[in-house]
Amino acid sequence: MSKPTGLLLSPGAIAPEAVSRALNEQGGPAWDNTVFRLLSGIDARSLAEGTPKGGSGTAVSLASTGWWFRPLDELADRLATTTGQAVLALLEHPGVGSAYHLAQPGDEPVRRVRLGTDRLWAEGVALLTGGQGLAEGDTAPLEQAARLVHGDDPEGAQLPGMVGFAFLPERRAEWPALLDLRGQTLQGGVLWKPAEQRDADEDPPMKMRAILLETDVRLPGPPRWARAHRAEVIETAQQVVGDDGWVCLVPQTDGEVAAFGAAVRILQLAPLPDGSLVGVLHPLAGVRIEGVADGVATVDPVPQGPVEDVEAFAAARKKLVDQLSAGSGVRWSAEELDASDDPASLIAWQVRLSTEACQSYLAAREPLARLVALAGAL
């Protein structure tokens, strides 16, 4: 899966000491490790176009284990204030979205955030340089520019890039897009805090903490991000992520606990300014719920077997692939789904199912039954 890239640009000179001072003032957690590389004497527009030339500008590439707590746009604001010149923060996550924040000393910043567009940041470069707009075809991927700036720094290459934009109270309309960008970053494997990854092959325990859902359960499939608002959910998530990470997602129908749920591993978790949490969940297995008492679910994993009717499976898979148009929002190609031994588990987590279809899926013991349950709900 693609990884996001962040970069700072300025039309004039910025001293390395100014960047260090801005980072120190910005602050970060005690475990944070942050590095930056500065390229001076560069023409910002040509760098964005992929053909860097000499000029009066500066480009800064930053990487940090505490990237979550170091908003790139806020750092641009600090540098614009201390240097007295415009500083542009750029963000691109291929296939997910793009953003820019043009900090201007003594004036309001200009910023845009958009999902589904990779090269929106080119608009910010045009504003910074005072030239004509850059068409998407006129720019190289932002990652290419960042690599030119960061060079061969071995430490920086191993750290996550600083790619977070701040959640500004006066711009709440941006929050859903910023959440999705951060969520996709976490889902793509960029850790928000140094930690050991959970073992995906470990069998779920027979008892685990439970989260009672007001909506359908997250179906087993690839890791995905989720946001928690309710106090009891936040408390449970914080408890399990500090323990073994296992939690059972239990759907309810009219207050009655459903027969089946999902055993989930919480991989990463981080707070947001409004008190909610966002993190990465890995829904690993369907489970039969034997009972829930005192916030703990007793479960019995549903064994998953091989395909028993190969021809019926192939026909059901073809039907599913045919149903998914190019604009379905499913992040798997028809070729990948057609080659998979269990395409339902690849995409079910992206499709909202009715409680009935969800329960049928979780109860299924082999890929054909899951595929039929999914295709019937689309």
Side-chain angles (χ1 to χ4, degrees):
M1 187 173 287
S2 64
K3 299 290 180 65
T5 299
L7 192 67
L8 293 181
L9 295 177
S10 178
I14 296 179
E17 293 77 17
V19 180
S20 296
R21 185 165 58 252
L23 286 169
N24 289 335
E25 291 173 351
Q26 189 180 50
W31 45 261
D32 175 43
N33 179 24
T34 297
V35 299
F36 70 90
R37 293 294 294 269
L38 185 147
L39 180 63
S40 59
I42 190 73
D43 176 71
R45 187 182 179 95
S46 65
L47 179 64
E49 291 173 335
T51 55
K53 301 175 184 178
S56 59
T58 304
V60 184
S61 171
L62 301 107
S64 174
T65 51
W67 66 272
W68 188 277
F69 299 96
R70 292 186 178 277
L72 193 63
D73 54 340
E74 197 264 352
L75 187 65
D77 289 335
R78 290 179 180 274
L79 284 172
T81 299
T82 58
T83 64
Q85 59 185 320
V87 178
L88 177 66
L90 302 176
L91 166 62
E92 179 181 66
H93 193 161
V96 180
S98 179
Y100 69 85
H101 177 98
L102 178 59
Q104 306 173 100
D107 202 354
E108 290 295 315
V110 179
R111 61 189 272 148
R112 291 185 68 193
V113 180
R114 184 189 297 167
L115 297 178
T117 301
D118 287 352
R119 304 294 165 81
L120 175 67
W121 58 268
E123 181 180 300
V125 175
L127 291 173
L128 178 73
T129 58
Q132 294 181 343
L134 290 167
E136 181 172 333
D138 295 336
T139 59
L142 189 61
E143 181 184 11
Q144 179 177 322
R147 284 180 176 175
L148 288 171
V149 176
H150 211 79
D152 58 356
D153 186 330
E155 183 182 16
Q158 297 172 4
L159 300 175
M162 280 179 56
V163 294
F165 273 29
F167 290 82
L168 304 178
E170 67 273 20
R171 302 184 72 96
R172 290 189 68 90
E174 292 178 349
W175 284 31
L178 290 176
L179 272 170
D180 202 36
L181 282 166
R182 288 197 179 190
Q184 293 291 344
T185 298
L186 289 170
Q187 183 187 316
V190 178
L191 295 174
W192 78 274
K193 181 178 179 180
E196 294 183 2
Q197 290 282 12
R198 307 290 188 183
D199 183 2
D201 294 326
E202 184 179 345
D203 293 331
M206 305 303 290
K207 289 189 175 183
M208 65 186 82
R209 299 281 301 182
I211 292 179
L212 300 178
L213 300 180
E214 297 175 340
T215 59
D216 293 338
V217 72
R218 302 292 185 190
L219 296 170
R224 59 151 298 147
W225 75 279
R227 188 180 179 192
H229 298 271
R230 290 184 289 146
E232 64 272 20
V233 174
I234 291 174
E235 181 181 359
T236 298
Q238 289 173 327
Q239 289 176 346
V240 300
V241 79
D243 191 12
D244 61 5
W246 283 107
V247 65
C248 183
L249 301 185
V250 182
Q252 299 178 92
T253 303
D254 298 328
E256 295 292 328
V257 173
F260 294 92
V264 168
R265 213 76 186 271
I266 299 182
L267 303 181
Q268 302 162 35
L269 202 62
L272 290 177
D274 64 353
S276 63
L277 290 181
V278 65
V280 175
L281 312 181
H282 193 175
L284 286 164
V287 294
R288 181 186 297 277
I289 301 167
E290 304 294 344
V292 178
D294 297 326
V296 175
T298 301
V299 303
D300 183 18
V302 177
Q304 304 300 317
V307 176
E308 296 178 358
D309 189 332
V310 176
E311 292 184 1
F313 177 74
R317 179 167 55 189
K318 182 179 185 306
K319 178 182 177 182
L320 175 65
V321 171
D322 291 343
Q323 284 178 299
L324 298 173
S325 64
S328 66
V330 173
R331 296 186 179 94
W332 299 92
S333 68
E335 291 75 18
E336 289 171 317
L337 292 172
D338 205 35
S340 173
D341 293 331
D342 196 354
S345 286
L346 289 180
I347 68 171
W349 65 284
Q350 295 178 271
V351 181
R352 184 175 178 84
L353 303 179
S354 68
T355 300
E356 181 179 354
C358 176
Q359 291 292 297
S360 297
Y361 179 99
L362 292 167
R365 295 174 177 270
E366 56 112 348
L368 175 57
R370 289 196 294 275
L371 189 57
V372 170
L374 176 65
L378 292 178

